Amino acid sequence: MDRSEVSALNLSAEIATGSTQASPVPYYVVAAIVSLVAALILASWTTLQALQRGWRFTKLIRRELEEIGPHPTQPDPNNPARPWWEYATRRTVHEEIFRTERIVENRDFILGLDPTTVYQVSQLWLALQKRDGHNWMHFLAECSGNRRLASEDLAKASRRWAALMRSQPQHLRETMGVPTPYRQSASLNRAAELFKARLTAYGKLLPLLNPRSMESGHAQPRAVAERMLDWYYQEGNGLLLSGRALDQFRRTREALERSDETSSRRDVELSQLRTDLKIDLGVRQPQERGIDFPWPEDERW
């Protein structure tokens, strides 16, 4: 029996007895498998974390949108010309994240959210920024119908907005657009000079708006209305009034000129004008019109 026959017989015997040993797996194959498994686990964990963050943030959006209703809930009887966007007093965390100027820094996080939710919510806040009443109502309804955001409180807030919007003039429902960078820059450049001019002019007007002088008989309402008219044209003071303040200025003068006007109603108009002058100066915010004493500027932040 030659060597080849002996080797064949030995191999046959090893196979029969199960005593053969498998060749060892090369270490680089084992390392590759371990690395692949670790990468899959890491990717799965990262994906799960992203999904969990997205779910929690969507829950936060729903919670915040539930409180998006107008404040006050009814049109302001003392200021019927108050535009609808001034009733949107609620500020939210997700609004800041969806701001146009912050989209880039939050891009990866936003792209991990549900695309429909991102589109509807971002367009909702863009409509507020553009003062676009039609799109504000449209995307509010879209969010109310989104199964990820829908709730009874959000539906209630949407109905309140619909009721308020019906009381608004048509021109206030149309978009006013977003100021261009040029207009924003020009506004900032003239802000300091405008403030100084307004502070001087409004300081001269304020003594005329004292209701006690009329109650004590030191000033007659009609005479005050005439002096206000002189102030308006004197030294161009009328050019400094914002549109809101000008509208209130006219209503106040009309109340002072009416002989049948009650003193309490005149007091309301005088108070509203003083408030609008403060808003022009930045002492009050438009949303603070309905409160007695706003916080100091340095305590608002």
Side-chain angles (χ1 to χ4, degrees), residues 69-89:
H71 179 77
T73 57
Q74 300 295 329
D76 187 352
N78 296 325
N79 187 17
R82 182 177 180 180
W84 65 268
W85 56 83
E86 290 188 5
Y87 291 84
T89 58

Side-chain angles (χ1 to χ4, degrees), residues 103-140:
I103 287 293
V104 174
E105 62 181 281
N106 297 316
R107 179 187 58 188
D108 294 338
F109 175 70
I110 292 175
L111 290 177
L113 302 175
D114 172 61
T116 300
T117 301
V118 171
Y119 173 73
Q120 292 173 348
V121 174
S122 62
Q123 290 298 314
L124 176 70
W125 293 113
L126 182 60
L128 177 62
Q129 184 181 358
K130 295 169 64 177
R131 308 294 192 253
D132 187 344
H134 293 298
N135 272 337
W136 172 258
M137 293 307 305
H138 172 74
F139 285 105
L140 189 58

Side-chain angles (χ1 to χ4, degrees), residues 227-243:
R227 292 175 64 186
M228 289 176 63
L229 196 62
D230 292 339
W231 173 90
Y232 183 90
Y233 289 106
Q234 180 182 352
E235 300 177 2
N237 289 333
L239 298 176
L240 302 176
L241 291 169
S242 66

Side-chain angles (χ1 to χ4, degrees), residues 159-269:
R159 290 193 295 269
R160 288 176 175 173
W161 271 112
L164 175 69
M165 199 65 73
R166 285 193 293 269
S167 68
Q168 291 279 295
Q170 181 62 32
H171 71 276
L172 291 180
R173 304 181 197 180
E174 305 294 337
T175 180
M176 293 189 177
V178 179
T180 63
Y182 172 80
R183 290 183 60 190
Q184 290 176 333
S185 176
S187 178
L188 291 175
N189 290 335
R190 68 172 182 265
E193 295 299 324
L194 179 60
F195 174 83
K196 293 178 182 178
R198 278 177 168 172
L199 183 61
T200 301
Y202 292 0
K204 296 177 181 178
L205 178 61
L206 189 61
L208 301 178
L209 307 180
N210 182 5
R212 292 186 179 180
S213 63
M214 301 179 203
E215 294 172 0
S216 62
H218 290 100
Q220 295 299 318
R222 284 181 175 272
V224 172
E226 290 300 319
R227 292 175 64 186
M228 289 176 63
L229 196 62
D230 292 339
W231 173 90
Y232 183 90
Y233 289 106
Q234 180 182 352
E235 300 177 2
N237 289 333
L239 298 176
L240 302 176
L241 291 169
S242 66
R244 178 192 295 109
L246 175 58
D247 184 57
Q248 183 58 41
F249 182 88
R250 290 172 175 171
R251 289 203 299 270
T252 302
R253 286 196 66 256
E254 290 172 359
L256 293 173
E257 289 179 333
R258 286 194 293 267
S259 58
D260 59 343
E261 190 65 87
T262 62
S263 59
S264 59
R265 184 60 193 173
R266 286 197 301 265
D267 290 350
V268 169
E269 298 295 346

